[in-house]
Amino acid sequence: MSKNVFTGTMPALMTPCKADRTPDYDALVRKGHEMIAAGMSAVVYCGSMGDWPLLTDAERMTGVKRLVDAGVPVVVGTGAINSKSAVAHAAHAQKVGAVGLMVIPRVLSRGASAAAQENHFKAILTAAPDVPAIIYNSPVYGFATKADLFFALRAAHPNLIGFKEFGGKDDLRYAAEHITSRDDQVTLMVGVDTEVYHGFVNCGATGSITGIGTALPKEALLLAALSQKAADGNAEARVRALELEEAFGVLASFDEGTDLVLYYKHLLVLNGEEEYRLHFVETDALSDAQRRYCEAHYTQFRAWFADWSAQGGIIAQCM
């Protein structure tokens, strides 16, 4: 099994699309290279940000293979409405050389059943025994993986080495208190942009998976670095991390909502990346009010960050 890749900051890549609303794999690969060049430890594809429910299995696998073939370290999302598809994505990830798996619960059919979820997880982990994996825990999927299930799975599947928590403060604390603190070989990844500081400082996270980092990679990496320094006891880093997290607040909160992909694709368009203007469903779009709200806060944050980051000290050390 390869080394633990679940450290550092990983952006959840969105899937750009062409004028005919099919995946733009060339643009996807460019984005992957851009993220690694910015300092990200790997990329995640295809999670919720990648619009996995809107792509065929073949389209998703093509995106994974194109990224891997281009030398981009890829963590593959296994989201599916049935275990057969999820298993196929896991097996494909191992075959092409992905560095990790993000194991997503079974949805729609028997999603609240602990027995069904256990068998779903087992099937995925068995299909890719050489690929390090994390459980993706999220209220969105309607099922919470608790410590007893996690460690039952880990006992049978040593490739299960981490836990990604997309929930809020209480969920992260549960993961830290009952899962990752029980076994120091298990990694906690913060899975939501609004809880990076809490995850690192109060819950011992070793990494984060970010949405806003696709548009603001330098700033997302800085927040993680300051939070890690704060966790190590640096008093100045604690103050600066909290300042940055507060300023990030509105933009980071898009990660928690139904329209997260619409918002973050719009931020990329504001950055000049026209390949993210379209969505796979033609009627998917921000309202005029949402777009203006997004743009106002993006402009405000960038102006604030330019001024704030010039203060030097621990900020300069971590950038």
Side-chain angles (χ1 to χ4, degrees):
M1 193 189 308
S2 60
K3 66 181 178 67
N4 181 4
V5 299
F6 295 109
T7 58
T9 301
M10 302 179 183
L13 296 187
M14 294 177 285
T15 306
C17 59
K18 297 182 287 190
D20 63 358
R21 299 183 193 272
T22 59
D24 186 339
Y25 297 115
D26 290 340
L28 178 68
V29 169
R30 283 198 304 273
K31 192 65 176 179
H33 280 305
E34 175 194 324
M35 294 290 97
I36 299 304
M40 302 292 183
S41 57
V43 303
V44 175
Y45 187 79
C46 200
S48 303
M49 288 275 289
D51 276 331
W52 69 257
L54 304 182
L55 303 178
T56 67
D57 286 352
E59 287 172 335
R60 290 168 62 182
M61 290 178 185
T62 298
V64 169
K65 190 171 189 306
R66 285 289 304 273
L67 287 164
V68 172
D69 288 349
V72 178
V74 184
V75 173
V76 176
T78 65
I81 60 172
N82 64 73
S83 296
K84 182 178 179 180
S85 291
V87 165
H89 287 296
H92 179 262
Q94 174 156 315
K95 178 182 177 181
V96 300
V99 300
L101 281 182
M102 191 168 69
V103 181
I104 297 173
R106 179 174 170 176
V107 295
L108 298 182
S109 170
R110 301 189 68 220
S113 166
Q117 295 291 4
E118 181 174 7
N119 288 322
H120 179 77
F121 291 146
K122 284 180 176 179
I124 293 169
L125 294 166
T126 299
D130 300 321
V131 183
I134 55 173
I135 295 289
Y136 180 178
N137 207 52
S138 169
V140 174
Y141 292 114
F143 180 81
T145 301
K146 298 300 185 181
D148 55 350
L149 175 54
F150 181 88
F151 284 106
L153 292 166
R154 179 163 161 76
H157 303 279
N159 56 322
L160 178 58
I161 63 169
F163 199 80
K164 174 197 171 182
E165 181 53 71
F166 186 79
K169 284 183 170 58
D170 291 344
D171 299 300
L172 274 162
R173 177 164 176 173
Y174 175 87
E177 189 172 353
H178 298 286
I179 296 177
T180 55
S181 293
R182 176 170 159 180
D183 183 344
D184 61 10
Q185 298 302 304
V186 175
T187 296
L188 177 62
M189 297 288 286
V190 182
V192 60
D193 283 320
T194 52
E195 300 296 345
V196 173
Y197 174 88
H198 175 65
F200 277 95
V201 175
N202 299 323
C203 303
T206 60
S208 64
I209 296 175
T210 177
I212 190 63
T214 59
L216 294 166
K218 177 178 68 175
E219 295 84 349
L221 286 163
L222 178 58
L223 177 56
L226 287 169
S227 297
Q228 185 63 69
K229 289 280 190 185
D232 293 339
N234 187 297
E236 183 187 358
R238 178 180 283 260
V239 172
R240 297 307 189 192
L242 286 169
E243 290 173 347
L244 179 53
E245 183 168 77
E246 192 277 333
F248 242 150
V250 170
L251 299 178
S253 72
F254 296 148
D255 194 25
E256 301 175 336
T258 302
D259 293 331
L260 78 165
V261 176
L262 307 187
Y263 275 115
Y264 288 150
K265 277 194 171 184
H266 187 56
L267 292 184
L268 293 186
V269 171
L270 295 179
N271 284 350
E273 299 176 61
E274 282 295 319
E275 59 267 37
Y276 290 93
R277 184 172 293 278
L278 297 180
H279 301 282
F280 290 102
V281 176
E282 188 172 355
T283 54
D284 283 350
L286 295 174
S287 68
D288 289 342
Q290 286 177 307
R291 190 170 59 254
R292 286 193 292 267
Y293 181 73
C294 175
E295 291 169 358
H297 280 279
Y298 197 46
T299 299
Q300 181 189 76
F301 174 79
R302 291 180 72 109
W304 174 88
F305 185 81
D307 182 59
W308 174 85
S309 60
Q311 297 176 91
I314 194 67
I315 299 171
Q317 293 174 37
C318 289
M319 284 184 71

